[in-house]
């Protein structure tokens, strides 16, 4: 008899819990539109396209000023390959208002928009982001990322070039310095096949 009482009691608790799952009030507000250029959205879209067509890449990599090594990578994990470029995302909630925007119409009809970090923004590692677009289609993206703390400093120049809305080339040139270690200079460039 005791087991049946527990089963009924458990059933009653389940009904109460399910009743609590109903509409508890107004819906959550819709996500905010990106204030600045949506680097993360663009890169996520590019990763999906590149993975869908199983795109390969030819890479040139150089460390410590040595001659670049060239390698063709036929099977690329694009999310990993482009991860460093996601660091150029300036649409985080904490960065709203952290950038001044300057737009210039270029002689060839394209638009160059530059986002420059305002003074006094210690949580904004992207010092500048420049986007060149033909209409709504991005063609070039360049960013400078600077990170400093007591143990580590780094600076990276990122560049992405697109053709007909598809990633064609990308490049990273940077320096990295850990306390008590020499400065590391590196560069990596890729051409999508």
């Amino acid at each position: 008899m005791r087991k049946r009482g527990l089963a009924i009691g458990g059933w009653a608790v389940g009904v109460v819990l399910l009743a609590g799952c109903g509409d508890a009030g107004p819906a959550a507000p819709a996500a905010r539109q990106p204030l600045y250029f949506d680097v993360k959205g663009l890169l996520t879209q590019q990763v999906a396209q590149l993975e869908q067509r199983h795109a390969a890449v030819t890479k040139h990599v150089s460390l410590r000023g040595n001659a670049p090594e060239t390698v063709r990578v036929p099977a690329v994990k694009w999310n990993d390959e482009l991860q460093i470029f996601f660091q150029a995302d300036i649409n985080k909630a904490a960065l709203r208002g952290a950038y001044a925007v300057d737009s210039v119409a270029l002689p060839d009809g394209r638009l160059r928009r530059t986002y420059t970090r305002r003074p006094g923004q210690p949580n904004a590692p992207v010092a500048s982001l420049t986007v060149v677009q033909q209409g709504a289609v991005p063609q070039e993206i360049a960013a400078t990322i600077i990170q400093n703390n007591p143990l580590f400093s780094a600076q990276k120049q990122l560049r992405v070039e697109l053709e007909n809305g598809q990633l064609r080339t990308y490049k990273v040139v940077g320096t990295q310095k850990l306390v008590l270690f020499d400065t590391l200079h590196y560069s990596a460039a890729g051409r999508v096949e």
Side-chain angles (χ1 to χ4, degrees):
M1 192 66 134
R2 189 161 198 235
K3 287 183 181 178
R4 184 174 177 200
L6 285 175
I8 292 173
W11 176 81
V13 170
V15 169
V16 171
L17 289 175
L18 285 175
C21 292
D23 188 16
R32 285 185 173 179
Q33 289 291 339
L35 181 61
Y36 308 116
F37 181 81
D38 188 9
V39 172
K40 182 179 177 183
L42 174 71
L43 290 172
T44 300
Q45 175 191 34
Q46 293 300 313
V47 166
Q49 287 177 4
L50 291 164
E51 287 180 350
Q52 182 179 16
R53 63 185 181 103
H54 305 287
V57 66
T58 299
K59 293 174 64 171
H60 307 281
V61 180
S62 175
L63 287 174
R64 296 181 176 85
N66 294 331
E69 293 183 28
T70 301
V71 63
R72 182 180 183 276
V73 183
V76 181
K77 292 183 179 178
W78 284 105
N79 197 51
D80 295 343
E81 181 70 13
L82 299 177
Q83 192 60 45
I84 195 166
F85 295 93
F86 281 90
Q87 293 177 14
D89 178 23
I90 60 174
N91 273 311
K92 299 173 181 135
L95 300 178
R96 288 187 80 78
Y99 291 88
V101 183
D102 179 43
S103 297
V104 174
L106 301 175
D108 61 4
R110 297 183 303 164
L111 176 70
R112 181 179 60 220
R113 188 167 283 138
T114 303
Y115 304 87
T116 306
R117 180 179 58 202
R118 296 180 192 273
Q121 297 293 330
N123 295 327
V126 179
S128 68
L129 173 70
T130 302
V131 180
V132 176
Q133 293 177 257
Q134 181 72 51
V137 181
Q139 295 183 325
E140 299 172 22
I141 299 171
T144 299
I145 299 175
I146 300 173
Q147 299 166 298
N148 290 309
N149 67 45
L151 300 175
F152 173 83
S153 66
Q155 181 169 337
K156 302 174 200 97
Q157 303 287 328
L158 310 176
R159 183 174 182 82
V160 171
E161 293 182 359
L162 299 105
E163 186 178 297
N164 299 321
Q166 295 190 341
L167 180 65
R168 288 295 168 228
T169 64
Y170 55 93
K171 185 174 185 176
V172 179
V173 176
T175 58
Q176 179 174 296
K177 173 78 170 103
L178 293 169
V179 172
L180 304 177
F181 290 92
D182 291 336
T183 301
L184 172 66
H185 297 271
Y186 61 92
S187 68
R191 176 169 292 280
V192 178
E193 297 177 10

